[in-house]
Amino acid sequence: MASGNYGGTSGPCNLGQFAFHMNQAFLSANGLTSGTTAYAQFFCRDNGFASPNNVGLTDAIRFTVAP
């Protein structure tokens, strides 16, 4: 998993997956109510590579919070 502004477990970029587990408390604390459209990306840094090849940015995702 990759870490972000809202928590998570840090790890290397080359694991092949990024995961973030949202729950009702997270949604409420960040003002994400039913019908809200959110946009997200993961940024990571891998100390195993020299700059500028040590950073990554995933494709973006858009989702709408459902009831």
Side-chain angles (χ1 to χ4, degrees):
M1 289 189 211
S3 63
N5 291 336
Y6 296 107
T9 303
S10 63
C13 289
N14 59 0
L15 291 176
Q17 72 178 34
F18 296 91
F20 186 85
H21 303 283
M22 284 189 252
N23 58 32
Q24 187 61 42
F26 172 83
L27 294 172
S28 296
N30 291 283
L32 298 171
T33 59
S34 182
T36 301
T37 299
Y39 303 84
Q41 277 184 296
F42 272 106
F43 169 83
C44 67
R45 187 177 313 260
D46 190 336
N47 293 330
F49 295 92
S51 183
N53 299 319
N54 64 337
V55 295
L57 184 64
T58 65
D59 290 337
I61 185 173
R62 178 185 70 203
F63 62 93
T64 302
V65 178

